[in-house]
């Protein structure tokens, strides 16, 4: 039972319980809408996606209105706080434990970790509890709803993996009774799964049926050759040799040693990464696959596992030790391959990205984009494009980024990998927001529709973060703060190490526009030393400097600003947080009356005046760069320039629909007008202040 008193069952007939009692939520369409939200807990599902779930591509007239009517009925039936309205649709607001599918996934993951850690008895306990939650097929009554059909298939795959993990735990603890009949049924149903055949051979041998174990190998080999033209994997072949040699090791219960084939973990890791965007699960599987490939000497598996450990983004392994371990593994795998092999090219591409990103450069990865393009290798080409894009998130590469994202979307059809299409659309969406393009939200809608058809956790984290940013722009601060918390939880569930950093950036933006940034000084003082922050991210020094200065702590502010500026502020790497770092430096210089720093900030920012000051992948926006330029001019006493920049900042922020930034720019513009004191400036300042206060009254705190 969920802590909220609500329990949703999807692992079999769909059911809703409130306070332990079954609740009839209505007819098939109401059940479908609630089930679609249950498949995306904590994530906003657009009205358009919900309409497609009900009617496919044949939406009736006024479909949006009908969907909203259905949700009014649902809220009257269940707890009204269960379903929240969040632009552009609705979100299911329940703790993870309220869903039997979430409890299953957590227990299965706990079991897998215990098994890998050499604790098979604990693993068996977790896995049996996970499998006991199933009452039938997942989302079984919604076979005609594509998004639920896809989610049901994903859960069924996880169930199948959990069954195999449980069998491994049984074998490792000597609990062999009954396994033979179960495994014979499973190998008949899934003849291509070598892991099951290895488990069956082990169980048969332990039962004194050596001949039957050898016959099982013959059947497995015949099926693999007939279906795929491949010989059994090295580990399955090793079990065969052990049976032939009557190896006593097979007879022993061996805690911590299981009979899974390395390609099972490898395939599971690649599916989790390339299909589901599940960074956490993929890392666990690739770690297992890498160790097993080292033991068996499977060079290709070693290379694929090393590549998989790199993840979706560049520099996912943020601590120095983890990053060094990844690079070492990539180089080790590369050293064992033919340099001309496609896997070797992909390893060189990943290494180039991992080396360029922390240096704030892009030369090595861009050269390998050209090499992959010339080689006609679509997978390597797609990976190079995505990694290169991530190395070019500074403000000076707008056009090149857009070209890379467009090329990646085009390449996705040739690479045959879903993740390339998803990442291409992610990057294109991010590029439009970073450029302040008026069509950015339209592209975000396309991304959300793509993710509504099938989840991709890493991309969903980005989409949700952009949604939080838009809520801040709209002045819906309470909604944005709740969304930021939910987004951080999603990022943690996906295994994205940016979850904490992004949450901090979103909270800084909310508190800044609320006029409460000084409250965050203790939090920011800890965050800026987090080992999971990007090595080229200096924004938390800037945030601490502004927060401390706003709170009147000039000493802390001056220290943080000095750490940010170093010997020359111009030496900061042009990373994805460069613009907001300099914007923070401009504001701190204003509050500390530091003219030289303000002048240097203005010199550096002028070429990028047309851009919004945004953090990372567009996850927090502080409005037009003209605001910082106007603030710097106020600090240096150039009042004509300050008035000009701040007047333009108001217009640019209006174009962004960034209402808190509009209010801030109007207030600062009024200050510039008053200080300048030309005829008409006082009246103009009064008008700006009045407009700012009228707009500020619409914000929700």
């Amino acid at each position: 039972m969920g802590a909220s008193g609500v329990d949703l069952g999807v692992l079999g007939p769909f059911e809703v319980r409130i306070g332990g009692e079954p609740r009839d939520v209505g007819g098939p369409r109401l059940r479908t809408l609630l089930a679609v939200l249950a498949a995306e807990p904590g994530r906003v599902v657009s009205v358009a996606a919900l309409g497609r779930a009900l009617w496919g591509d044949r939406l009736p007239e006024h479909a949006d209105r009908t969907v909203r009517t259905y949700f009014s009925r649902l809220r009257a039936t269940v707890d009204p706080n269960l379903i929240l309205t969040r632009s552009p649709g609705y979100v299911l607001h329940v703790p993870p434990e309220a869903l039997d599918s979430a409890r299953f996934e957590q227990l299965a993951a706990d079991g897998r970790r215990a098994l890998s850690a050499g604790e098979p008895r604990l693993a068996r306990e977790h896995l049996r509890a996970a499998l006991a939650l199933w009452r039938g097929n997942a989302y079984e009554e919604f076979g005609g709803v594509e998004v639920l059909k896809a989610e049901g298939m994903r859960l069924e795959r996880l169930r199948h993996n959990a069954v195999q993990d449980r069998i491994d735990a049984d074998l490792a603890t000597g609990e062999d009774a009954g396994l033979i009949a179960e495994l014979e049924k499973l190998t008949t149903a899934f003849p291509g799964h070598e892991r099951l055949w290895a488990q069956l051979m082990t169980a048969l041998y332990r039962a004194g049926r050596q001949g039957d174990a050898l016959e099982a190998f013959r059947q497995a080999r015949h099926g693999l050759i007939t279906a795929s033209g491949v010989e059994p994997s090295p580990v399955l072949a090793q079990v065969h040799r052990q049976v032939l040699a009557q190896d006593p090791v097979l007879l022993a219960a061996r805690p911590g040693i299981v009979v899974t084939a390395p390609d099972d973990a490898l395939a599971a890791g690649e599916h989790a990464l390339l299909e589901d965007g599940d960074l956490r699960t993929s890392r666990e599987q690739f770690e297992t696959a890498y160790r097993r490939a080292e033991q068996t000497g499977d060079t290709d598996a070693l290379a694929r596992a090393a590549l998989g450990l790199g993840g979706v983004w560049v520099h996912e392994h943020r601590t120095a030790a983890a990053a060094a371990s990844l690079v070492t593994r990539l180089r080790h795998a590369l050293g064992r391959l033919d340099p001309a092999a496609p896997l070797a090219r992909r390893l060189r591409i990943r290494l180039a990205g991992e080396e360029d990103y922390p240096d704030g450069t892009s030369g090595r990865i861009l050269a390998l984009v050209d090499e992959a393009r010339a080689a006609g290798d679509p997978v390597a080409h797609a990976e190079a494009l995505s990694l290169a894009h991530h190395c070019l998130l500074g403000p000076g590469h707008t056009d090149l980024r857009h070209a890379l994202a467009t090329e990646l979307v085009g390449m996705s059809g040739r690479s045959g990998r879903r993740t390339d299409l998803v990442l291409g659309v992610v990057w294109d969406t991010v590029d439009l927001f970073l450029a302040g393009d008026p069509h950015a939200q339209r592209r975000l809608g396309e991304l959300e529709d793509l993710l509504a058809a099938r989840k991709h956790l890493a991309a969903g984290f980005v989409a949700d973060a952009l949604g939080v940013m838009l809520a801040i722009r709209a002045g819906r601060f309470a909604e944005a703060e709740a969304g930021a918390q939910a987004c951080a939880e999603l990022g943690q569930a996906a295994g994205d190490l940016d979850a904490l950093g992004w949450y901090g950036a979103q909270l800084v933006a909310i508190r800044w526009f609320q006029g409460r940034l000084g409250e965050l000084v203790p939090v920011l003082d800890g965050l800026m030393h987090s080992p999971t922050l990007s090595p080229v991210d200096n924004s938390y020094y800037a945030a601490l400097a502004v927060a401390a200065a706003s709170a009147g702590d000039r000493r802390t502010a001056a220290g943080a600003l000095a750490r940010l500026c170093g010997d020359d502020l111009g030496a900061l790497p042009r990373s994805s947080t460069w613009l907001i770092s300099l914007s923070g430096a401009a504001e701190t210089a204003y509050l500390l009356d530091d003219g030289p720093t303000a002048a240097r900030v203005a010199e550096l920012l002028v070429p990028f005046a047309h851009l919004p000051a945004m953090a990372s992948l567009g996850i927090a926006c502080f409005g037009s760069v003209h605001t910082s330029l106007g603030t710097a001019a106020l600090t240096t006493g150039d009042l004509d320039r300050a008035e000009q920049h701040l007047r333009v900042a108001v217009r640019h922020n209006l174009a962004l629909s960034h209402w808190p930034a509009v209010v801030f720019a109007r207030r600062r513009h009024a200050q510039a007008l008053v200080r300048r004191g030309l005829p008409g400036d006082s009246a103009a300042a009064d008008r700006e202040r009045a407009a700012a206060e009228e707009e500020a009254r619409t914000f929700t705190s």
Side-chain angles (χ1 to χ4, degrees):
M1 174 65 63
S4 65
V6 176
D7 193 16
L8 298 174
V10 301
L11 303 180
F14 185 62
E15 64 178 20
V16 180
R17 292 180 177 272
I18 298 180
E21 296 297 321
R23 179 69 56 90
D24 182 0
V25 298
R29 288 181 177 170
L30 296 183
R31 293 170 66 82
T32 297
L33 289 174
L34 188 55
V36 171
L37 292 187
E40 301 280 356
R43 183 171 179 273
V44 176
V45 182
S46 69
V47 171
L50 291 162
R52 284 194 298 276
L54 290 179
W55 300 290
D57 294 330
R58 297 183 178 180
L59 271 67
E61 189 176 1
H62 306 307
D64 290 3
R65 186 185 307 166
T66 303
V67 168
R68 292 187 173 93
T69 300
Y70 286 156
F71 273 108
S72 295
R73 295 180 188 173
L74 271 175
R75 283 172 163 155
T77 304
V78 300
D79 183 346
N81 296 319
L82 185 68
I83 302 169
L84 305 180
T85 303
R86 293 288 184 267
S87 180
Y90 297 88
V91 61
L92 184 67
H93 185 63
V94 293
E97 62 270 19
L99 281 158
D100 60 357
S101 57
R103 298 197 299 275
F104 160 73
E105 290 193 57
Q106 184 60 57
L107 285 165
D110 291 343
R112 187 167 57 250
R113 280 192 290 271
L115 196 58
S116 297
E119 300 180 83
R121 296 186 186 281
L122 178 61
R124 188 177 58 189
E125 179 182 333
H126 287 314
L127 291 161
R128 286 183 173 177
L131 293 166
L133 293 170
W134 286 76
R135 299 169 287 107
N137 296 323
Y139 294 99
E140 62 182 13
E141 73 181 75
F142 305 105
V145 182
E146 284 301 318
V147 64
L148 296 181
K149 182 179 178 181
E151 176 64 4
M153 291 173 63
R154 184 187 74 86
L155 290 168
E156 289 290 350
R157 284 194 295 270
L158 294 178
R159 179 188 192 180
H160 185 60
N161 291 339
V163 168
Q164 293 175 84
D165 287 343
R166 193 223 79 223
I167 292 171
D168 272 343
D170 287 342
L171 288 170
T173 54
E175 296 288 336
D176 303 337
L179 284 184
I180 292 174
E182 180 182 8
L183 283 164
E184 286 177 335
K185 182 178 179 180
L186 287 169
T187 51
T188 299
F190 305 99
H193 287 238
E194 294 182 72
R195 181 181 184 185
L196 293 171
W197 286 107
Q199 291 170 329
L200 175 58
M201 290 171 65
T202 302
L204 287 167
Y205 184 76
R206 288 187 183 182
R209 296 168 59 181
Q210 181 181 9
D212 289 337
L214 294 173
E215 174 59 19
F217 178 79
R218 188 198 66 76
Q219 291 177 24
R221 181 175 181 273
H222 176 76
L224 289 166
I225 292 173
T226 302
S228 307
V230 298
E231 289 283 346
S233 70
V235 167
L236 185 54
Q238 173 64 22
V239 175
H240 179 233
R241 287 193 293 271
Q242 287 177 298
V243 172
L244 285 171
Q246 299 183 354
D247 190 338
V249 171
L250 280 183
L251 293 174
R254 295 163 291 149
I257 302 176
V258 295
V259 295
T260 58
D263 54 332
D264 286 331
L266 193 57
E270 288 176 340
H271 187 277
L273 184 68
L274 302 176
E275 297 296 322
D276 298 332
D278 185 343
L279 308 179
R280 183 185 305 279
T281 299
S282 68
R283 286 190 200 112
E284 293 173 357
Q285 296 289 354
F286 284 128
E287 184 67 36
T288 299
Y290 187 90
R291 291 198 306 269
R292 290 176 179 165
E294 277 191 311
Q295 294 167 0
T296 62
D298 188 335
T299 300
D300 281 3
L302 188 76
R304 287 165 60 193
L307 284 166
L309 284 167
V312 169
W313 316 116
V314 181
H315 206 65
E316 285 187 13
H317 301 259
R318 286 291 166 74
T319 66
S325 174
L326 174 66
V327 169
T328 298
R329 287 176 163 185
L330 291 167
R331 288 175 176 161
H332 174 60
L334 181 59
R336 298 179 61 177
L337 287 172
D338 178 349
L343 278 173
R345 181 181 297 110
R346 291 175 60 196
L347 287 165
R348 289 196 299 273
I349 288 167
R350 169 57 73 170
L351 278 165
E354 296 295 332
E355 291 165 355
D356 271 348
Y357 181 82
D359 292 342
T361 59
S362 56
R364 285 166 285 205
I365 187 64
L366 286 175
L368 284 167
V369 169
D370 291 338
E371 179 185 316
R373 188 183 289 123
D377 182 340
V379 171
H381 188 176
E383 288 178 353
L385 289 168
S386 186
L387 297 181
H389 192 291
H390 206 158
C391 292
L392 292 164
L393 284 175
H397 300 290
T398 300
D399 292 340
L400 178 54
R401 281 201 311 270
H402 179 67
L404 292 172
T406 302
E407 189 177 355
L408 178 56
V409 172
M411 281 301 303
S412 63
R414 293 182 57 202
S415 72
R417 305 190 311 176
R418 176 174 182 263
T419 201
D420 296 329
L421 173 61
V422 172
L423 290 180
V425 177
V426 165
W427 287 132
D428 196 30
T429 303
V430 167
D431 289 341
L432 292 177
F433 276 109
L434 294 180
D437 191 286
H439 301 302
Q441 280 186 252
R442 183 184 305 171
R443 196 58 49 83
L444 177 58
E446 293 178 17
L447 173 60
E448 289 173 335
D449 286 347
L450 180 62
L451 297 176
R454 184 173 174 185
K455 285 196 294 189
H456 187 287
L457 293 180
F461 177 43
V462 177
D464 280 12
L466 289 170
V468 172
M469 181 270 293
L470 291 173
I472 298 171
R473 279 188 179 183
R476 299 194 302 267
F477 296 132
E479 175 187 327
E481 191 159 348
Q485 179 65 46
C487 184
E489 292 170 0
L490 174 63
Q492 289 172 338
D496 197 316
L497 295 183
D498 275 325
L500 176 63
W502 286 12
Y503 176 68
Q506 290 162 346
L507 200 58
V508 165
I510 293 166
R511 293 290 182 265
W512 168 244
F513 288 115
Q514 287 177 322
R516 298 166 50 193
L517 187 59
E519 299 173 9
L520 296 183
V521 169
V523 175
L524 292 169
D525 192 38
L527 270 176
M528 71 179 186
H529 301 300
S530 170
T532 63
L533 289 179
S534 164
V536 289
D537 183 358
N538 295 283
S539 62
Y540 278 100
Y541 290 115
L544 176 62
V546 179
S550 301
D553 185 351
R554 297 177 65 89
R555 181 180 181 184
T556 298
L561 182 61
R563 287 195 291 275
L564 175 68
C565 294
D567 293 332
D568 177 17
L569 192 56
L572 282 183
R574 300 292 174 93
S575 69
S576 62
T577 58
W578 185 79
L579 281 178
I580 62 165
S581 296
L582 263 67
S583 296
E587 186 64 25
T588 307
Y590 170 77
L591 294 170
L592 298 180
D593 196 23
D594 181 350
T597 297
R600 182 61 173 140
V601 169
E603 179 186 355
L604 293 167
L605 281 181
V606 162
F608 310 108
H610 60 291
L611 296 175
M614 302 191 78
S616 193
L617 275 65
I619 53 97
C621 179
F622 293 84
S624 170
V625 168
H626 277 286
T627 306
S628 296
L629 286 166
T631 297
L634 273 177
T635 308
T636 60
D638 190 341
L639 299 179
D640 285 336
R641 182 164 295 184
E643 189 280 331
Q644 178 186 3
H645 279 305
L646 291 165
R647 176 163 33 85
V648 175
V650 172
R651 187 172 72 249
H652 282 199
N653 288 328
L654 283 168
L656 291 169
S657 295
H658 195 325
W659 301 106
V662 170
V663 169
F664 184 89
R666 286 194 189 281
R667 288 170 174 166
R668 189 68 46 92
H669 186 215
Q671 292 176 20
L673 288 164
V674 169
R675 286 195 192 181
R676 190 173 66 170
L678 294 178
D681 280 353
S682 179
D686 288 343
R687 288 193 296 272
E688 284 287 57
R689 280 192 291 262
E693 298 318 307
E694 182 179 353
E695 286 157 358
R697 281 193 289 272
T698 67
F699 300 161
T700 57
S701 58

